[in-house]
């Protein structure tokens, strides 16, 4: 669900309230999942940026 939230907000341009209406969970749940997903994505991208280029990404 986290990937879907990120997609709906960033690619489809929906607000978190609209995402909540689309997916059904309460808006507070959507907000916390969205922020947690962004934090995880940021950490994964940061880790990938610091790996030597000859190692495959996970």
């Amino acid at each position: 669900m986290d990937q879907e939230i990120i997609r709906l907000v960033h690619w489809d341009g929906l607000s978190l309230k609209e995402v909540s209406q689309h997916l059904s969970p309460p808006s507070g749940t959507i907000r916390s999942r969205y922020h947690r997903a962004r934090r995880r994505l940021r950490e994964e991208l940061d880790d990938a940026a610091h790996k030597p280029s000859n190692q495959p990404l996970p």
Side-chain angles (χ1 to χ4, degrees):
M1 180 185 289
D2 293 350
Q3 289 179 349
E4 187 171 8
I5 293 170
I6 293 287
R7 181 185 59 80
L8 289 169
V9 171
H10 289 281
W11 279 275
D12 296 346
L14 298 181
S15 70
L16 293 176
K17 183 177 181 179
E18 291 169 326
V19 172
S20 176
Q21 293 167 348
H22 181 72
L23 297 178
S24 301
S27 60
T29 302
I30 294 295
R31 275 195 303 271
S32 62
R33 285 180 180 236
Y34 172 69
H35 290 294
R36 184 174 43 233
R38 283 189 53 177
R39 183 180 50 226
R40 267 191 266 144
L41 180 58
R42 186 180 315 117
E43 289 170 358
E44 288 181 27
L45 291 173
D46 192 42
D47 288 347
H50 291 97
K51 284 190 176 192
S53 61
N54 61 351
Q55 292 185 356
L57 297 175

